[in-house]
Amino acid sequence: MGSFVFMLILEFFDSNENFYNMGNTFYKSKDYNKALGYFEKSSKSDLKKIAESSHYNLGNTYYKLGKLQDSLKSYEKVLSMNPKHEKAKKNLDFVKKKIKERQNIFVFLPN
C-alpha cells in the first residue's frame, strides 16, 4: 500500500501540468533557462491545452533568451495546433519583424 501511495505522489509531482506551472513560476521570476526546461517537458502533454500553452510559452521564453528562430518555430507549432490562436499569430508576426530588422542591420553595417 505504501509503495502505491508513493507512486501516486511521484506521478502528481511529475505531471505535465506541474511542469507547466513550474515553467510559469520561473518565467515570472525571469529565470528563462529554467522556465525553458519545464515548458519543454510540459509541451509533450497529451492534454491539448497544456501542450498548446507550453509551446506558446516556449515561444515567449525563446524570445526573451534572444533565440528568435526557436521562438518562431514555437509560435508556428501553436498555430499548427490551433490556427485561431490570436496571441501566437501576433507574436509570430512580431518575431518575423524582429528577424527582418536584425537582417537589415547586418546588411547596412559599414565595413
Side-chain angles (χ1 to χ4, degrees):
M1 180 75 169
S3 178
F4 176 73
V5 172
F6 176 74
M7 292 302 291
L8 284 177
I9 291 171
L10 184 60
E11 185 176 319
F12 172 77
F13 286 110
D14 195 30
S15 76
N16 288 315
E17 186 173 357
N18 287 325
F19 291 146
Y20 176 77
N21 291 333
M22 289 299 293
N24 281 330
T25 299
F26 284 113
Y27 185 90
K28 288 176 185 174
S29 68
K30 298 182 174 38
D31 191 339
Y32 301 120
N33 286 312
K34 283 187 182 174
L36 188 69
Y38 283 105
F39 289 139
E40 285 174 344
K41 288 179 182 180
S42 63
S43 72
K44 295 169 179 60
S45 177
D46 292 331
L47 299 172
K48 185 180 180 230
K49 178 85 172 152
I50 296 291
E52 181 182 311
S53 295
S54 297
H55 283 288
Y56 176 77
N57 287 347
L58 277 169
N60 295 340
T61 306
Y62 281 127
Y63 180 80
K64 291 288 190 178
L65 292 170
K67 298 179 177 184
L68 301 187
Q69 292 296 334
D70 290 326
S71 179
L72 195 73
K73 289 176 190 172
S74 294
Y75 295 133
E76 288 171 344
K77 178 67 176 177
V78 173
L79 292 170
S80 75
M81 299 170 80
N82 177 3
K84 295 181 181 183
H85 196 292
E86 291 301 319
K87 288 182 180 180
K89 286 180 189 178
K90 179 181 167 191
N91 288 4
L92 179 69
D93 290 340
F94 178 80
V95 172
K96 283 181 178 179
K97 181 180 171 188
K98 290 296 179 185
I99 289 171
K100 190 169 187 167
E101 286 174 6
R102 278 189 179 180
Q103 290 170 341
N104 288 339
I105 289 172
F106 292 117
V107 170
F108 296 112
L109 284 177
N111 290 333

